[in-house]
Amino acid sequence: MTSTTSTTLLPPVMVGRPSTSAEAGRTIYFYGWEDPANSRISTDNPDVLKVIPGADHGSWTSTPCAEGIKPGTACVTITPSPADPDQCVLTTRITVTT
């Protein structure tokens, strides 16, 4: 007897605007950072959003992201690394839905 496991993958939510919404369990990616591994990400509501910093993985670099934990609203702030010439801080409101 053979056992199989089925997994449904959802497409990411890409953020490049002042506010957005996503379902709980979805990952929200923040793109466009000059040096994403050295940027800082934070949230004002960690009960609603889990923030994940960008990182250097050797052969690739991940961008900062957040995962919706439960329905609610949270603000995310990303501060660019000192290497980013814009030095433009992003603050965006995320509404997590069911």
Side-chain angles (χ1 to χ4, degrees):
M1 182 169 158
T2 302
S3 169
T4 60
T5 302
S6 176
T7 301
T8 301
L9 296 176
L10 299 172
V13 176
M14 304 298 284
V15 174
R17 56 184 178 232
S19 65
T20 194
S21 64
E23 295 173 352
R26 297 285 301 271
T27 301
I28 304 152
Y29 294 90
F30 302 94
Y31 60 90
W33 299 98
E34 183 75 24
D35 184 15
N38 292 307
S39 61
R40 292 188 323 260
I41 183 170
S42 61
T43 182
D44 68 343
N45 196 345
D47 292 333
V48 171
L49 282 177
K50 173 185 172 185
V51 293
I52 304 158
D56 183 347
H57 301 277
S59 62
W60 62 283
T61 302
S62 59
T63 188
C65 57
E67 181 182 343
I69 298 172
K70 68 179 187 179
T73 302
C75 283
V76 172
T77 300
I78 301 176
T79 304
S81 79
D84 192 322
D86 287 339
Q87 289 302 301
C88 197
V89 174
L90 169 74
T91 300
T92 187
R93 179 172 300 282
I94 308 291
T95 300
V96 178
T97 60
T98 56

